Amino acid sequence: MKRPARTNHGFTLVELLVVIAIIGILVGLLLPAVQAAREAARRMSCSNNFKQLGLAIHNYHSAYRQLPMHGVGTASPDGGAAPYGVTSATTDWWTNYGDSNAWRLSALVGLTPFMEQQALWDEISNPSVIDAVNPGTQLTVAWPPMGPTVEFIQYRPWVTELPMLRCPSDPGVGLPAQGRTNYAACLGDSIDWSIRGSKQHHTTRGEMVSTNTWVQRSLAANRGTFVPHKESKFRDILDGLSNTVAFAEILTDLSDRDTRGIQSLNGNPPDEIRLNPSYCIDNNQIDPDNPRFWAPTTPIENSNNGRGFKWADFRPNFSGCHTILPPNAPIGGGSSVGETGMFPPSSRHQGGAHILMGDGAVVFITDSIEAGDSHHEMVWLAPADITSSPGTKSPYGLWGALGTRASRETIQEQLNQ
């Protein structure tokens, strides 16, 4: 009896290669979609963080009948200056940074109890003997209540990363930053007086005092929701909470010379930037071969002072922003991080950045938002024009109008569609 012919049911080499090629093509087609889906999820998470921050601001206002002060602080108490400064009370606290915080704390510090960070707030508002560099050994002299200035990495609260203040799309972690933030207070459409406000330190009385000159300058320049060293309320936002930016998203520096992450260094004070917001672009400070980065010859800030590096520091580079140039424009400043500079919002999201309106709404603003004349000289901020300048219409179009709290400009755009 003849056996039946043996049938081979396996794949030939050609068939296997064809299948592998098809799988490779499908993976190549699907991978961008997977990446886009992941970024969409991260962007949604970032938006949710912002919404929680908006709720914290409104809950704070309900509790204290004012917004958290940006540039808040305390003088030096007796017996607290570890591990630097003097242990006795001092009135010259401005130059003894280990004694107190020198009124450099951001609005985010006061919001910690309303961001479900009560334990952190308890450590900040009470004397602490913890050394973050050597946590196993307690200090013999306690940190003062509300802590020292923010540059001390030995003070644990200032180096604590708060998940609610971080955008999942931002990969920045660890040193040289302390505690990073991706969300910054809106200071309006002017860089002038952004670290000063209406008060200056009084070295003999150990407090911040108002002067007529500083008040006038502040009224002209500090047009945003938050005014340095000054109490603000929702009633001050005459343009309406839904028409005024409260906070905006910023990326944190990766020490890669990104024009959005580290500032260029110009004059002191930076009149070049104040008089021409596009100074960095006009003067070829950006690398023409890689326009997202500074040119190799452009002087930039110290790497320890990158954008968003200190969530507790009120200075604009760390936790502030302006509505002058659109999101993701290059940042430019003076000769040091302590000097005023221009700091637009920015993000790792494609095409724009989130902003938080005063009413708690979160809006994604694109890089192409109408921003008026970026070469406009801010003449209403010149000292000679201070007394008549408050209330002047912003020259920076819709973007500038969104950043001012009381210029009575009509917003005709539907931002959240």
Side-chain angles (χ1 to χ4, degrees), residues 11 35 73 79 92 111 209 257 276 283 350 366 368 397 416:
F11 291 105
Q35 290 293 89
D92 190 18
L111 288 174
V209 295
R257 296 182 68 90
N276 177 15
N283 286 271
Q350 186 65 33
T366 65
S368 59
N416 217 351

mmCIF file of all heavy atoms in Angstrom, residues 11 35 73 79 92 111 209 257 276 283 350 366 368 397 416:
data_model
loop_
_atom_site.group_PDB
_atom_site.id
_atom_site.type_symbol
_atom_site.label_atom_id
_atom_site.label_comp_id
_atom_site.label_asym_id
_atom_site.label_seq_id
_atom_site.Cartn_x
_atom_site.Cartn_y
_atom_site.Cartn_z
ATOM 1 N N PHE A 11 6.033 27.745 7.298
ATOM 2 C CA PHE A 11 6.269 28.926 6.473
ATOM 3 C C PHE A 11 7.597 28.798 5.754
ATOM 4 O O PHE A 11 8.572 28.277 6.298
ATOM 5 C CB PHE A 11 6.294 30.198 7.339
ATOM 6 C CG PHE A 11 4.961 30.561 7.918
ATOM 7 C CD1 PHE A 11 4.690 30.339 9.263
ATOM 8 C CD2 PHE A 11 3.976 31.127 7.119
ATOM 9 C CE1 PHE A 11 3.476 30.682 9.797
ATOM 10 C CE2 PHE A 11 2.752 31.465 7.652
ATOM 11 C CZ PHE A 11 2.486 31.237 8.997
ATOM 12 N N GLN A 35 3.039 57.451 20.841
ATOM 13 C CA GLN A 35 3.730 58.565 21.470
ATOM 14 C C GLN A 35 2.806 59.772 21.618
ATOM 15 O O GLN A 35 2.830 60.462 22.640
ATOM 16 C CB GLN A 35 4.953 58.960 20.642
ATOM 17 C CG GLN A 35 6.084 57.942 20.676
ATOM 18 C CD GLN A 35 6.704 57.845 22.059
ATOM 19 O OE1 GLN A 35 6.256 57.055 22.893
ATOM 20 N NE2 GLN A 35 7.713 58.657 22.311
ATOM 21 N N GLY A 73 7.434 87.430 53.151
ATOM 22 C CA GLY A 73 8.536 87.013 53.997
ATOM 23 C C GLY A 73 8.411 87.506 55.419
ATOM 24 O O GLY A 73 7.402 88.094 55.809
ATOM 25 N N GLY A 79 17.071 83.724 68.075
ATOM 26 C CA GLY A 79 17.407 82.331 68.325
ATOM 27 C C GLY A 79 17.276 81.391 67.156
ATOM 28 O O GLY A 79 17.275 80.184 67.331
ATOM 29 N N ASP A 92 19.018 94.081 60.426
ATOM 30 C CA ASP A 92 19.690 94.115 59.131
ATOM 31 C C ASP A 92 19.591 92.747 58.460
ATOM 32 O O ASP A 92 20.566 92.155 58.039
ATOM 33 C CB ASP A 92 21.156 94.514 59.309
ATOM 34 C CG ASP A 92 21.828 94.795 57.961
ATOM 35 O OD1 ASP A 92 21.100 95.004 56.972
ATOM 36 O OD2 ASP A 92 23.062 94.782 57.915
ATOM 37 N N LEU A 111 0.497 78.685 49.465
ATOM 38 C CA LEU A 111 -0.542 77.789 48.954
ATOM 39 C C LEU A 111 -0.354 76.342 49.395
ATOM 40 O O LEU A 111 -1.258 75.518 49.173
ATOM 41 C CB LEU A 111 -0.568 77.842 47.424
ATOM 42 C CG LEU A 111 -1.121 79.118 46.782
ATOM 43 C CD1 LEU A 111 -0.940 79.067 45.271
ATOM 44 C CD2 LEU A 111 -2.598 79.304 47.124
ATOM 45 N N VAL A 209 8.993 98.566 53.615
ATOM 46 C CA VAL A 209 8.242 99.812 53.757
ATOM 47 C C VAL A 209 7.959 100.394 52.375
ATOM 48 O O VAL A 209 8.735 100.217 51.429
ATOM 49 C CB VAL A 209 9.014 100.834 54.614
ATOM 50 C CG1 VAL A 209 9.166 100.332 56.040
ATOM 51 C CG2 VAL A 209 10.379 101.130 54.006
ATOM 52 N N ARG A 257 21.399 75.070 27.267
ATOM 53 C CA ARG A 257 21.396 76.363 26.569
ATOM 54 C C ARG A 257 20.107 76.596 25.799
ATOM 55 O O ARG A 257 20.072 77.397 24.853
ATOM 56 C CB ARG A 257 22.613 76.513 25.641
ATOM 57 C CG ARG A 257 23.944 76.531 26.386
ATOM 58 C CD ARG A 257 25.110 76.733 25.425
ATOM 59 N NE ARG A 257 25.110 78.067 24.840
ATOM 60 C CZ ARG A 257 25.738 79.121 25.363
ATOM 61 N NH1 ARG A 257 26.412 79.001 26.496
ATOM 62 N NH2 ARG A 257 25.703 80.295 24.755
ATOM 63 N N ASN A 276 13.247 97.019 24.200
ATOM 64 C CA ASN A 276 12.999 96.203 23.012
ATOM 65 C C ASN A 276 12.913 94.737 23.420
ATOM 66 O O ASN A 276 13.932 94.065 23.568
ATOM 67 C CB ASN A 276 14.110 96.392 21.972
ATOM 68 C CG ASN A 276 13.918 95.492 20.758
ATOM 69 O OD1 ASN A 276 12.842 94.924 20.549
ATOM 70 N ND2 ASN A 276 14.967 95.355 19.951
ATOM 71 N N ASN A 283 19.651 91.000 17.991
ATOM 72 C CA ASN A 283 21.101 91.092 18.138
ATOM 73 C C ASN A 283 21.792 89.740 17.962
ATOM 74 O O ASN A 283 22.912 89.539 18.461
ATOM 75 C CB ASN A 283 21.443 91.704 19.493
ATOM 76 C CG ASN A 283 21.180 93.194 19.541
ATOM 77 O OD1 ASN A 283 22.041 94.005 19.211
ATOM 78 N ND2 ASN A 283 19.973 93.557 19.934
ATOM 79 N N GLN A 350 3.694 70.436 22.585
ATOM 80 C CA GLN A 350 3.885 70.907 21.223
ATOM 81 C C GLN A 350 3.027 72.137 20.950
ATOM 82 O O GLN A 350 1.812 72.101 21.102
ATOM 83 C CB GLN A 350 3.531 69.803 20.222
ATOM 84 C CG GLN A 350 3.828 70.153 18.773
ATOM 85 C CD GLN A 350 5.308 70.322 18.505
ATOM 86 O OE1 GLN A 350 6.138 69.656 19.103
ATOM 87 N NE2 GLN A 350 5.653 71.216 17.606
ATOM 88 N N THR A 366 -1.441 78.993 22.226
ATOM 89 C CA THR A 366 -0.451 78.620 21.219
ATOM 90 C C THR A 366 0.640 79.681 21.089
ATOM 91 O O THR A 366 0.460 80.842 21.498
ATOM 92 C CB THR A 366 -1.107 78.410 19.849
ATOM 93 O OG1 THR A 366 -1.642 79.661 19.386
ATOM 94 C CG2 THR A 366 -2.235 77.392 19.940
ATOM 95 N N SER A 368 1.429 81.138 18.557
ATOM 96 C CA SER A 368 1.051 82.128 17.538
ATOM 97 C C SER A 368 -0.017 83.100 18.024
ATOM 98 O O SER A 368 -0.616 83.805 17.207
ATOM 99 C CB SER A 368 0.541 81.404 16.281
ATOM 100 O OG SER A 368 -0.581 80.577 16.592
ATOM 101 N N GLY A 397 -1.039 93.417 22.235
ATOM 102 C CA GLY A 397 -2.218 92.782 21.677
ATOM 103 C C GLY A 397 -3.046 91.985 22.667
ATOM 104 O O GLY A 397 -3.144 92.311 23.859
ATOM 105 N N ASN A 416 -11.252 79.269 25.356
ATOM 106 C CA ASN A 416 -11.407 77.850 25.678
ATOM 107 C C ASN A 416 -12.469 77.247 24.777
ATOM 108 O O ASN A 416 -13.650 77.206 25.118
ATOM 109 C CB ASN A 416 -11.800 77.701 27.146
ATOM 110 C CG ASN A 416 -11.159 76.496 27.778
ATOM 111 O OD1 ASN A 416 -10.557 75.675 27.105
ATOM 112 N ND2 ASN A 416 -11.274 76.376 29.089
#
